[in-house]
Every structure is written in structure tokens, then in C-alpha cells.
Amino acid sequence: MRYRSRVTAPAAALIGTAAALTVGGTAHAAPKDAAAPGPETLGDPVFPSLGNDGYRVAAYHLDLAYDATTKLVDAQATLKIRTTQALTRLSLDALGLDIRTVRVGGRTAAFEQADEKLRITPARPLPAKAHVTICVEYGADPSRALAHTAWVVTPDGFAICPQPNSAHTVFPCNDHPSDKADFTFRVTVPAGLRGVANGLLTGVETLADGRTAYSYRSREPMATELAQITVGDYVVKDRQGPHGLPLRDVVPAARATALEPALALTPGLVDWLEQRLGAFPFETYGLLPCNSDDPNAFDFTGLETQTLTLYKPNFLLQEEKKIGSHMMHELVHSWFGNMVSPATWSDLWLNEGHADFYGLLYRYERGWADSLGLTTMEARMKDTYARGDQWRHDSGPVAAPNAANLFDSQRYLGGVLVLYAFRELVGEDTFHAVERAFLDRHRGSSATTSDYIAVASDVSGQDQSGFLRDWLYGTKTPRMPGHPDWTVTPVSATLAPHRRTSGYHDNSATL
């Protein structure tokens, strides 16, 4: 969707800066250290227009106020950035936001909106390595029709689902997981509603007009696609997890009792996973069963927004053996995807492959049959192995997706198959040592597939690059270590790709 540009500076000034910009690269040749417009992309292989360069974001403060009568949001986003080059102009990702004013370093800045970018021209060029504050005041309509959106409209408010590329429909940002930042939030709501966001509650303020402002802070850095802000008729249920971990669930008030059996499973899930991956990496965890029964409200079962996993409430009303494995899948993302984020979206298999790997292990340990009626990891992997060439034909190699097939089964079960093959090669003890070392070395940052391969080689004491790259990037499925009898079914051109039709996580084998 293309948006009408909004120009707030003389046309000649904007034309002058625009002429120097080359999207996806650097500006035209200029003297060393001379200020230039920042590139409007980080060059992601899956979403090439996503993100912006020339700076990095250190922190976001998001101040949102919800009006229950108009169902609109009035907001201010404050970004603290550090420039990586001298800039005459910089850009943020923004779509469907009604930008009112922009200030850079306290000074009013010119801006324009074009496509999914908010281009900002500060009153003075910004020097390299400068710490700068940007304030953007704007309005948003959660129900606005857009090419893609993070807003989930509910009868009493909203929640958000930013993954993979829609955080910038909620707040202007550098919307790429490689640029993680600190987050604080202030959510103002009318009487009778509650505002909730990632992290821990740091303050509650009753305003003179009867509204309430809730403040939150996320202790660990976070990717924009993991932000969560929700408003509605919710109650917060607190409980204690392993080693004193505070757990908080944000639950529709009318469903608190019905949802309790599912919510009570979380401490046991955390304990099981901590034994394998180490201490829980964040200050709290819990579930947010979004207050909507509309099957079209959002097109997935669960989403791992940091410290607060978004769910369809009806899913959680089922018996444990139907939900426990997928609850584990989402919990695993606290380590793989949240604590260590993908450096590019082609690295998604690191998130989803690990989430399904441990989710399936949890299922089979309990003797719960999967969707194919299988009850062991070996049986499921043999079945998946047989599909390997077909999936590579239909959806590309595991670590080489595109925007159309990003959430195909190849990133989920295909990723599990890679991890299973590597475990079969090096043994369970070395495999788990690699897993922990990878998490330890990249905690709080983003990591690439190459980073995982490097850790695997280092910890195992052998060069694993050839083995893992064949599994991750090859067009043919390699032989499975320890299972010479396993065979791959020949590719059929008539079979349709195993592709999501109604949800990011609906291709998870844990469902």
C-alpha cells in the first residue's frame, strides 16, 4: 500500500536530501565523514525494505492512550538512538500512523511519510556517534485496513501481534530484530479497563479525569516484533514459578475461572525447560488469552511476545494433552527467538525449529500422540525425513526462505529435522552443550545461522560447517546419521507446499 506523502518542509529542501538517497545502499559519493541521508533498509534477505541504517536504537518509550468511545489511540513514541554515521536525514518504519509532529534533540524536524517509511530531516545534521532523542506524536486507528497490521481489535480494546514485520503499524521504529532495544511503556485507559505491556509493572497512576495510566518496563533488550500492548477488561493473576520466578497471566475477567487449568500448567513447563536450557532469561512470564472469540481476530494460535505470550482463549480451554506441547513451543521462544533473536528473517528456523524440537520432546515424554498418531521423536523424524526433498522443492532449504514461504513447515519440522540429525551425529551430551553455549554467547542480542554453526564447531571440537550447511542450505536431503535405512520420497510436482493457510504457528507440529 502506498501512502500519500505528507511534506512539512519546503519542497526544495526535501528534494535536495532525497536526491542523495539510494535505498538499500549508501548515498552518492561524498567526502569522508560528510553527513548524508541514512539508508532506508537493513538489507534483510526476506524483507529487503525492512529496517533502517545510519543509527541504532538504544531505547523506546511508548506512551499510548486509548479512547473507548472513538476506539482510537493517541500516542507518543520516544526513541533514544546513537548515530553510526553523520546524517542529514534518517528514517523509521511506519505504516498507517497519523504522524502529527516530530522532534529531534528537542527541535522540530521536517518529515514525510512515503510507503512504509517516516523520513525525518532534523533542523541540523546529526554527527556520527551522537546520542539523540527523537519524539514522534501520532494517532492510530486499530481497525484501519492496511496491507498488513499488528493490531488485534477486541470488543473492549486491543492487543498487538507484530511478528514478523508489523510493529511499525503500532509505533514508528527500526523494525528489525537485529536492532534490539530497551522498552518502557505507559498505557492510559478509561475506568473499567486495564492496560498491560511487556515486562514488570512499575507504576499505576489515577488521573484527574478518572482514567488510569499503567507503566511497565522490560528489563532485557527486546526486538520490536516482540512488543506487546493490550487494553481490555482483564484481571492479572499472579503465581510463583521455579526459583521464585514471578508469573503473571493477563486474563479476560469473565473467563478467569475457566482458563485457570491451562494457566496452572506454566510452572511445570518452566521447570522442565530450565533443566535443559538453563534459568529462565526474563523477569517474568505469563499468558495473555486475548479477549476475542472472533476466529479472524488474529491468524495464529499463539505468539511469543516477550514475557507475555498471546493466545486464542478457546485453544487454552482444551485438556492438557491438546495444549501442553504447544504451550512448551511458545515458552521455548523465551530462549530461542526472544533472548537470542534472529539476525535476519532467513534465520527463523533457529526460533521455530528449536520451539518445535523441545515441544515435541515434551509431548513424547508424556506419551501424547501427535497429529499423525505417532508417539516418539524417532518415528516423527522418520516421517519428516521422507518428506525432506519435497519440502526443499516446495519451500526451499530450511535456512533459505522467502516472504511467501517464511512460515511453511520447512522452518518448523524442517528445522527440527536438522537439530535431530545434528544430535544423532554428535550425541546428546555434546548437542546440549552446543545449545547452552549458543544461548550463553548470544544472550540479549541477535544471532545468525552461521553463529550457530560456529558454536557447534567450537563446542564439538570438529568443523560442523559442511554437515550443517548441507542440511540447512542443500536442495537434497542428506543421509541421516545412525539411520542408513531411512529413505526420502521422490519429489512430486503435483503436491502442494505444506504452507500455512491461516496462521504463523499453525504449521507447528506441536499443535
Side-chain angles (χ1 to χ4, degrees):
M1 177 177 286
R2 181 176 295 275
Y3 279 83
R4 175 172 56 87
S5 295
R6 178 178 178 184
V7 179
T8 60
L14 290 173
I15 292 171
T17 54
L21 179 65
T22 301
V23 175
T26 58
H28 289 298
K32 185 178 180 180
D33 300 328
E40 293 185 356
T41 176
L42 287 173
D44 189 271
V46 178
F47 298 108
S49 65
L50 201 62
N52 308 271
D53 210 352
Y55 65 91
R56 291 293 179 266
V57 182
Y60 293 90
H61 176 68
L62 305 180
D63 191 338
L64 280 70
Y66 177 70
D67 187 320
T69 301
T70 64
K71 301 189 182 301
L72 300 178
V73 173
D74 188 60
Q76 177 173 294
T78 303
L79 291 71
K80 294 182 178 180
I81 70 167
R82 183 178 185 272
T83 60
T84 57
Q85 66 183 73
L87 295 169
T88 58
R89 186 178 75 192
L90 71 157
S91 57
L92 300 172
D93 298 301
L95 173 64
L97 304 178
D98 299 316
I99 309 298
R100 298 180 186 131
T101 64
V102 178
R103 297 189 305 279
V104 178
R107 294 173 175 265
T108 300
F111 68 90
E112 65 169 347
Q113 292 176 263
D115 296 322
E116 299 191 21
K117 299 295 179 180
L118 171 61
R119 295 170 178 159
I120 301 170
T121 304
R124 297 175 180 173
L126 304 178
K129 300 181 180 179
H131 295 272
V132 181
T133 299
I134 300 172
C135 294
V136 182
E137 295 182 5
Y138 64 99
D141 179 356
S143 64
R144 179 174 293 169
L146 299 170
H148 58 94
T149 185
W151 296 100
V152 176
V153 177
T154 64
D156 52 0
F158 64 85
I160 64 171
C161 52
Q163 191 187 81
N165 62 334
S166 292
H168 62 277
T169 66
V170 178
F171 58 100
C173 57
N174 200 25
D175 198 2
H176 195 270
S178 64
D179 194 14
K180 300 173 75 165
D182 294 332
F183 275 78
T184 55
F185 306 84
R186 189 173 189 262
V187 187
T188 302
V189 296
L193 299 182
R194 184 184 291 265
V196 180
N198 309 82
L200 292 175
L201 181 69
T202 58
V204 180
E205 180 183 1
T206 302
L207 306 181
D209 58 6
R211 296 183 301 162
T212 303
Y214 296 88
S215 297
Y216 295 84
R217 181 181 187 88
S218 184
R219 187 185 65 191
E220 302 293 335
M222 185 166 68
T224 52
E225 54 111 357
L226 301 174
Q228 182 56 258
I229 307 165
T230 189
V231 169
D233 182 14
Y234 291 108
V235 295
V236 175
K237 304 187 73 172
D238 296 310
R239 72 190 77 229
Q240 186 170 294
H243 312 112
L245 174 69
L247 301 175
R248 58 96 187 239
D249 300 302
V250 180
V251 191
R255 303 188 186 202
T257 300
L259 286 165
E260 179 57 27
L263 306 178
L265 299 175
T266 298
L269 295 167
V270 174
D271 180 66
W272 186 91
L273 200 51
E274 283 192 331
Q275 293 176 42
R276 288 152 180 83
L277 299 181
F280 186 78
F282 299 113
E283 62 271 32
T284 185
Y285 182 70
L287 306 187
L288 167 60
C290 186
N291 197 16
S292 176
D293 289 318
D294 183 354
N296 298 317
F298 48 98
D299 61 351
F300 52 85
T301 298
L303 185 69
E304 65 275 13
T305 46
Q306 192 160 304
T307 71
L308 190 62
T309 294
L310 181 66
Y311 262 110
K312 289 183 175 179
N314 284 338
F315 175 79
L316 295 173
L317 295 176
Q318 301 177 92
E319 59 183 326
E320 181 183 1
K321 67 180 182 180
K322 292 185 179 296
I323 64 175
S325 181
H326 192 264
M327 289 177 68
M328 179 60 72
H329 172 110
E330 298 299 343
L331 179 61
V332 172
H333 282 310
S334 293
W335 285 262
F336 290 97
N338 296 12
M339 182 179 82
V340 181
S341 298
T344 73
W345 283 107
S346 62
D347 302 306
L348 180 72
W349 79 274
L350 285 167
N351 299 17
E352 304 302 347
H354 278 99
D356 259 13
F357 181 85
Y358 290 101
L360 287 173
L361 285 178
Y362 185 77
R363 174 188 289 278
Y364 298 138
E365 276 193 13
R366 277 145 190 77
W368 300 335
D370 60 28
S371 60
L372 301 181
L374 304 174
T375 57
T376 67
M377 180 68 90
E378 181 175 331
R380 188 58 184 267
M381 290 299 95
K382 184 177 182 180
D383 177 87
T384 304
Y385 184 81
R387 305 167 192 260
D389 282 3
Q390 187 71 51
W391 285 6
R392 288 169 190 267
H393 173 271
D394 295 339
S395 302
V398 173
N402 58 39
N405 63 35
L406 179 61
F407 292 99
D408 282 10
S409 293
Q410 183 72 308
R411 261 42 81 188
Y412 292 76
L413 263 179
V416 177
L417 191 65
V418 174
L419 296 171
Y420 179 84
F422 180 54
R423 191 182 68 171
E424 291 294 286
L425 178 72
V426 300
E428 192 160 345
D429 290 345
T430 298
F431 174 77
H432 286 300
V434 169
E435 296 280 272
R436 289 216 182 193
F438 175 75
L439 293 171
D440 289 344
R441 293 182 191 183
H442 298 286
R443 180 187 182 104
S445 62
S446 301
T448 65
T449 297
S450 293
D451 289 328
Y452 186 84
I453 294 172
V455 173
S457 298
D458 184 30
V459 174
S460 69
Q462 293 182 321
D463 183 0
Q464 304 293 349
S465 58
F467 178 86
L468 286 172
R469 289 188 181 279
D470 283 349
W471 276 94
L472 289 163
Y473 297 105
T475 57
K476 295 292 184 181
T477 306
R479 293 183 180 275
M480 177 60 70
H483 299 278
D485 57 317
W486 287 13
T487 59
V488 180
T489 303
V491 171
S492 170
T494 62
L495 292 178
H498 192 179
R499 180 165 295 161
R500 71 180 175 97
T501 56
S502 62
Y504 298 149
H505 290 88
D506 287 352
N507 271 339
S508 170
T510 58
L511 285 167

